[in-house]
Amino acid sequence: MSDLLEGRTAVVTGAASGIGRAIARRYAEEGADVVVADIRKEPRLGGPPTHERIQAETDADAVYCECDVREIDDLRAAVEAADEFGGVDTMVNNAGVTGPIGPSHEASVEEYEAVRATVLDGTFYGSKVAASKMIADETDGVILNIASSAGVEAFGGLTPYSAVKGGVRLLTYGMAADLGPEIRVNAVLPGLIETAISKKDTGMIGSPVEEKLRESTPLGRIGCPNDVADAAVFLTSGMSGYISGESLLVDGGLTNTD
Ligand code: NAI
């Protein structure tokens, strides 16, 4: 496409599937080498593993690193894997799960802890480890968190998810204040995006909720992973050099207008 990320090296968590896969691919198209950090290698909706696709279809390099973001040592290993390409300068905390669906008081402690550990702890660990490495390497670093519009408005039924995604938003603002001027920290807040989460886990895609959301969305459609990937390129490239502590809704205009 172009070379907005030429010479950069990104670690993208949850990049085997969905939004993370699209971000990894768009980064490679823009010239960045990528560490695909995920608990699984195969995409949840099928197709070749992300790193193989990048190697086959772009001029960039990519490697898969088995990584459970609930484990800080796994994130350390993912960040170290980027040394092969010159060291991490872009960290994308994307890995996520939706957690319990239904009335919050019926969620088990284990279900609550699982979504908190992946989404909130995983984002904190990834940011902490990457920021420490960027500072030690005196790298011009960028951190991007994939939060959610559900972390801005809580509509019930996904309350633990909303709560931890709201936490990711505040983590973004706080870390931007802590880490400037060396490191920029921003977040993308996607609305409903067509991936395995929305098709298989919440079942929103293909349900009456999808149609209702489509009708209420000013731009008249459900989002696709590349909509988020384009925003990710913007927020981690030189195009956003004076933007930090910002969260960008990518939801077709739904939030605050419905
Ligand atoms: P997905 O299910 O297609 O992909 C998520 C990826 O994360 C999978 O490859 C999975 O293996 C990986 N993952 C899960 N737990 C992990 C762990 N503990 N360690 C490492 N990797 C792990 O889902 P999608 O939709 O691409 O989600 C990506 C992010 O976008 C998540 O943080 C999600 O909450 C967020 N998001 C998604 C929306 C949607 O409608 N699809 C809306 C708003 C936010």
Side-chain angles (χ1 to χ4, degrees):
M1 282 203 130
S2 56
D3 55 3
L4 284 170
L5 302 175
E6 196 59 49
R8 308 280 298 178
T9 301
V11 174
V12 183
T13 69
S17 316
I19 291 170
R21 178 172 167 83
I23 292 174
R25 167 65 201 252
R26 282 288 288 114
Y27 276 9
E29 284 174 352
E30 296 293 343
D33 295 324
V34 184
V35 175
V36 174
D38 203 302
I39 40 172
R40 56 184 292 142
K41 200 184 271 185
E42 310 295 329
R44 291 190 64 200
L45 295 177
T50 304
H51 67 292
E52 289 177 10
R53 189 174 168 218
I54 288 172
Q55 286 163 346
E57 297 175 8
T58 75
D59 294 331
D61 213 342
V63 68
Y64 170 72
C65 179
E66 188 172 346
C67 169
D68 183 337
V69 299
R70 294 167 295 186
E71 303 293 336
I72 193 164
D73 286 341
D74 282 14
L75 282 156
R76 283 201 183 96
V79 163
E80 276 165 20
D83 284 346
E84 185 183 335
F85 306 131
V88 65
D89 51 46
T90 304
M91 179 75 198
V92 182
N93 296 299
N94 163 79
V97 291
T98 47
I101 298 168
S104 24
H105 65 284
E106 289 177 7
S108 71
V109 169
E110 290 75 20
E111 287 172 320
Y112 169 74
E113 285 182 345
V115 65
R116 193 218 64 226
T118 305
V119 172
L120 189 55
D121 302 357
T123 301
F124 178 69
Y125 297 160
S127 304
K128 172 183 162 61
V129 166
S132 301
K133 181 75 162 68
M134 290 168 186
I135 289 166
D137 291 353
E138 298 182 5
T139 300
D140 166 26
V142 193
I143 296 174
L144 183 68
N145 299 325
I146 309 302
S148 173
S149 60
V152 181
E153 286 183 335
F155 36 77
L158 274 178
T159 303
Y161 178 79
S162 283
V164 293
K165 286 294 190 181
V168 169
R169 218 156 47 84
L170 287 177
L171 199 63
T172 304
Y173 305 150
M175 288 195 101
D178 290 336
L179 295 172
E182 287 82 11
I183 299 171
R184 296 190 298 115
V185 188
N186 291 295
V188 177
L189 316 177
L192 183 62
I193 307 292
E194 197 166 339
T195 67
I197 278 191
S198 51
K199 283 181 164 172
K200 291 182 169 175
D201 303 344
T202 63
M204 279 184 178
I205 298 284
S207 80
V209 176
E210 178 189 350
E211 203 38 53
K212 239 177 106 182
L213 278 175
R214 195 191 305 278
E215 279 166 13
S216 332
T217 299
L219 295 186
R221 66 175 176 86
I222 299 304
C224 66
N226 272 335
D227 291 322
V228 183
D230 286 340
V233 169
F234 169 66
L235 283 174
T236 51
S237 73
M239 299 282 287
S240 59
Y242 195 51
I243 299 177
S244 194
E246 188 53 81
S247 52
L248 179 62
L249 279 159
V250 179
D251 70 345
L254 180 66
T255 307
N256 300 330
T257 59
D258 60 352

